[in-house]
Amino acid sequence: MGGSDPFTKGYGTIIALSAALIVMVGQKILINQTRNDFRDMYYAKDMYLKTKNTEYLDFILARSKQMTNDVKVLSERAKKEIAELIEFVKKYKK
């Protein structure tokens, strides 16, 4: 029988591998979204410095709060970058 478990007839392995694949794809999507969010926030920071339009600061605050709430598994580096961006906003926001 090729070593397959007689109880699941090999379907258990397929289910486990499928679940692992779903987790990996989800993780990749989350990483890409986080990368895009940071890119957008740093762009907003640069644009604020060029234009002094406070909507860019509002965007940074809103996106950083959204990321903090939505992504519970942010790395320490990501948390540090978010904190630095929030400090930037506080420095210029009146």
Side-chain angles (χ1 to χ4, degrees), residues 19-65:
L21 181 62
I22 290 168
V23 168
M24 289 173 56
V25 168
Q27 192 174 34
K28 181 161 178 53
I29 291 169
L30 187 63
I31 289 168
N32 285 339
Q33 183 60 48
T34 301
R35 192 175 295 135
N36 291 340
D37 288 344
F38 274 112
R39 185 192 66 229
D40 293 346
M41 287 191 295
Y42 282 114
Y43 176 77
K45 178 182 175 181
D46 290 342
M47 290 306 294
Y48 171 76
L49 291 172
K50 290 177 183 172
T51 67
K52 303 301 183 206
N53 182 342
T54 58
E55 289 182 16
Y56 290 112
L57 298 177
D58 296 336
F59 172 80
I60 293 169
L61 270 183
R63 185 57 54 95
S64 64
K65 286 180 183 176

Side-chain angles (χ1 to χ4, degrees), residues 56-82:
Y56 290 112
L57 298 177
D58 296 336
F59 172 80
I60 293 169
L61 270 183
R63 185 57 54 95
S64 64
K65 286 180 183 176
Q66 179 187 9
M67 287 178 69
T68 304
N69 290 336
D70 293 350
V71 185
K72 301 298 182 197
V73 291
L74 286 172
S75 68
E76 290 305 313
R77 177 181 167 206
K79 290 176 186 175
K80 181 176 182 259
E81 285 187 56
I82 289 172

Side-chain angles (χ1 to χ4, degrees), residues 13-24:
T13 303
I14 292 171
I15 292 169
L17 289 174
S18 298
L21 181 62
I22 290 168
V23 168
M24 289 173 56

